Amino acid sequence: MTMSEQVPGTNRATQAVDDRNTTSTETTGGHWMQVTDVAAYYGDRMAISGVSMTIKPRAATAIIGPSGCGKSTFIRCLNRMHEVGLGVNRVTGSVLLDGHDIYGRSVDPVQVRRYIGMVFQRPNPFPSMSIYDNVVAGIKLTRSPSRTELDETVERCLNQAALWDEVKDKLKASGASLSGGQQQRLCIARSLAMQPHVLLMDEPCSALDPIATFKIETLINELKRQYTIVIVTHNMQQASRVADETAFFLAGEDRIGKLVEFGPTNQLFTNPTDSRTEAYITGRFG
């Protein structure tokens, strides 16, 4: 189903995203992103500069680096969340989803976020909604699905998020009644209900205990078989467990974050090409 089928009046540029995405899925088996010379600003202050990388389809890409190096800023550029402060925050360079520029002049950023979902650092279920309604909240905002479709979506997405068996008998309970780890998986299920092409995760385990973290990591390894995933993490062991490729960011004295090194995770952790990467992963700073 295309964006224009779901949201009446969507423009031609947005339609082009769908056309390109459909072709890409058929030819590559997933959705890829190309980032070229991206810089992000908070007002007049540059936060990241000159970031370029290819994000592979049906794989997990980890973004690592010390605090303040622009990891979260970068991932928010990938679905235009950085623009939330419109007129203040801005992005330059290009970000392509399956070859189409998501920053194109006629592309609706709301629709971009429909296809490139985000899971945030702290679980944020809608506290006044039931578990069931949390999962399908986005669908209800965009169209009027049948009850059968809603039921099927809830079960499918909670299964994908490895949460169905734990909540299937209490779907009417508040989403806020779940544990922290369960809430985060509920938020992942909510994102999956929108059938995204790419799933962004900004430190999804930072507020969770080790058992809940293990479940999220297991889930990521399952989901990347079907989705393109980008995850920001401070935990280098976590990056090594879930990521196929890893990008190391670092800010200099000017506090502008830059991409230092990017490549296969095993190679970056065992044989980095940049001395700064080696210093970071061996704990000499950060």
Side-chain angles (χ1 to χ4, degrees):
M1 183 175 291
T2 67
M3 289 185 188
S4 59
E5 288 172 335
Q6 293 181 13
V7 183
T10 301
N11 56 50
R12 292 180 181 178
T14 305
Q15 176 67 54
V17 174
D18 292 303
D19 295 340
R20 196 73 68 92
N21 284 347
T22 300
T23 301
S24 175
T25 303
E26 293 171 352
T27 57
T28 70
H31 299 280
W32 55 277
M33 299 189 76
Q34 181 70 50
V35 179
T36 304
D37 199 26
V38 162
Y41 297 80
Y42 291 94
D44 295 329
R45 186 179 72 82
M46 179 182 282
I48 59 173
S49 174
V51 179
S52 298
M53 68 172 72
T54 299
I55 297 170
K56 292 183 177 179
R58 292 188 177 178
T61 297
I63 312 297
I64 65 169
S67 296
C69 69
K71 301 185 300 296
S72 293
T73 296
F74 172 69
I75 201 174
R76 290 167 68 89
C77 293
L78 298 182
N79 72 343
R80 300 186 63 168
M81 283 290 291
H82 184 67
E83 292 179 283
V84 170
L86 191 61
V88 178
N89 300 343
R90 61 189 175 93
V91 176
T92 61
S94 71
V95 179
L96 308 183
L97 172 61
D98 297 332
H100 188 85
D101 189 357
I102 68 169
Y103 284 89
R105 184 173 299 177
S106 300
V107 175
D108 181 356
V110 174
Q111 293 304 315
V112 169
R113 295 168 200 145
R114 150 73 175 83
Y115 279 81
I116 307 175
M118 174 79 85
V119 176
F120 295 95
Q121 185 173 2
R122 292 188 176 275
N124 59 345
F126 302 127
S128 62
M129 290 187 182
S130 67
I131 295 169
Y132 183 105
D133 287 334
N134 259 278
V135 176
V136 296
I139 296 177
K140 287 182 174 181
L141 282 174
T142 58
R143 53 195 177 88
S144 301
S146 67
R147 181 70 186 197
T148 298
E149 181 184 352
L150 291 175
D151 289 345
E152 291 174 350
T153 298
V154 168
E155 182 171 356
R156 171 178 58 82
C157 294
L158 288 174
N159 267 312
Q160 283 184 296
L163 189 58
W164 174 253
D165 288 340
E166 299 172 37
V167 302
K168 62 183 179 181
D169 296 323
K170 54 178 181 180
L171 294 176
K172 293 183 179 180
S174 168
S177 68
L178 300 176
S179 69
Q182 288 175 323
Q183 287 184 23
Q184 192 65 297
R185 282 182 284 151
L186 176 60
C187 293
I188 292 172
R190 187 173 66 199
S191 293
L192 296 177
M194 299 301 293
Q195 297 183 312
H197 294 164
V198 179
L199 190 59
L200 310 176
M201 297 182 170
D202 189 1
E203 297 191 60
C205 302
S206 64
L208 305 182
D209 61 44
I211 294 175
T213 294
F214 173 76
K215 290 182 178 181
I216 296 293
E217 290 180 1
T218 301
L219 176 58
I220 291 170
N221 280 316
E222 289 293 324
L223 290 176
K224 70 182 183 181
R225 298 177 183 179
Q226 184 176 352
Y227 300 94
T228 301
I229 295 175
V230 183
I231 176 173
V232 169
T233 179
H234 271 107
N235 187 326
M236 287 182 284
Q237 289 73 32
Q238 181 174 82
S240 69
R241 289 190 292 264
V242 304
D244 302 281
E245 294 195 304
T246 296
F248 170 55
F249 279 60
L250 185 64
E253 293 182 0
D254 58 6
R255 297 191 301 160
I256 298 173
K258 296 179 180 177
L259 176 61
V260 172
E261 188 167 350
F262 176 59
T265 298
N266 184 60
Q267 177 182 314
L268 188 140
F269 277 94
T270 60
N271 188 28
T273 60
D274 192 291
S275 60
R276 293 170 294 177
T277 309
E278 182 178 9
Y280 178 72
I281 64 177
T282 56
R284 279 182 266 167
F285 73 91

